[in-house]
Amino acid sequence: MELTLEVVRVPVSDVEVAKKFYAEGCGFAVDVDQEVSPGVRVVQLTPPGSRCSIALMSGFPEAPGQTSMAPGSLHGLQLCVTDLAAAREAMIGRGVAVTPVQTIGAAGWEEGFGGVWSSFCFFSDPDGNGWAVQEAPAPLSER
């Protein structure tokens, strides 16, 4: 049995603002923008090349037994690219505030590229949900 991670719900305060940020700033494809029932809207976006999407929702009730996340409370989302410098520049060119490239050194995070799998940059969406972009040594299909 496969158990695939395909959608991650990202808590936002304004679906339209977040949709614009992820589509125009981050370059995610808008797969779905639909009112699934009266007052319940779902916007699903997918990063280029990814098999996992994010979902932005308004009016959507919480699943049984689960609590809601406040807008901006989701951290640790991570994208992987094979050219971190190019990905960073593309996002900056589309208006996203992205940190300089960083690696983990003896004293913690320090500016600059590291070895294999250890170069990152970071950004947050308008609500403060935190993302990392990590440089991978090869495309996912080759790993």
Side-chain angles (χ1 to χ4, degrees):
M1 169 178 61
E2 288 187 7
L3 192 60
T4 61
L5 179 64
E6 296 190 18
V7 181
V8 174
R9 186 172 177 181
V10 177
V12 298
S13 59
D14 186 319
V15 170
E16 200 58 41
V17 168
K19 175 186 170 186
K20 182 176 180 179
F21 173 82
Y22 286 109
E24 296 177 17
C26 298
F28 290 16
V30 178
D31 304 316
V32 174
D33 185 348
Q34 177 177 341
E35 186 174 55
V36 296
S37 66
V40 179
R41 181 179 177 195
V42 176
V43 176
Q44 186 169 318
L45 304 102
T46 305
S50 181
R51 293 189 66 200
C52 186
S53 303
I54 62 169
L56 313 173
M57 302 177 181
S58 63
F60 206 90
E62 293 307 318
Q66 296 185 8
T67 59
S68 64
M69 291 184 289
S73 64
L74 185 59
H75 298 276
L77 296 164
Q78 188 163 311
L79 302 168
C80 290
V81 297
T82 56
D83 187 339
L84 185 59
R88 180 179 177 274
E89 289 305 314
M91 291 178 74
I92 289 170
R94 291 189 300 261
V96 177
V98 183
T99 68
V101 173
Q102 299 179 40
T103 189
I104 301 172
W109 290 105
E110 54 188 45
E111 199 168 315
F113 281 85
V116 176
W117 291 108
S118 64
S119 298
F120 298 83
C121 61
F122 303 92
F123 70 93
S124 295
D125 73 10
D127 283 296
N129 294 300
W131 291 79
V133 184
Q134 179 182 33
E135 187 166 84
L140 181 60
S141 62
E142 298 174 17
R143 289 187 254 140

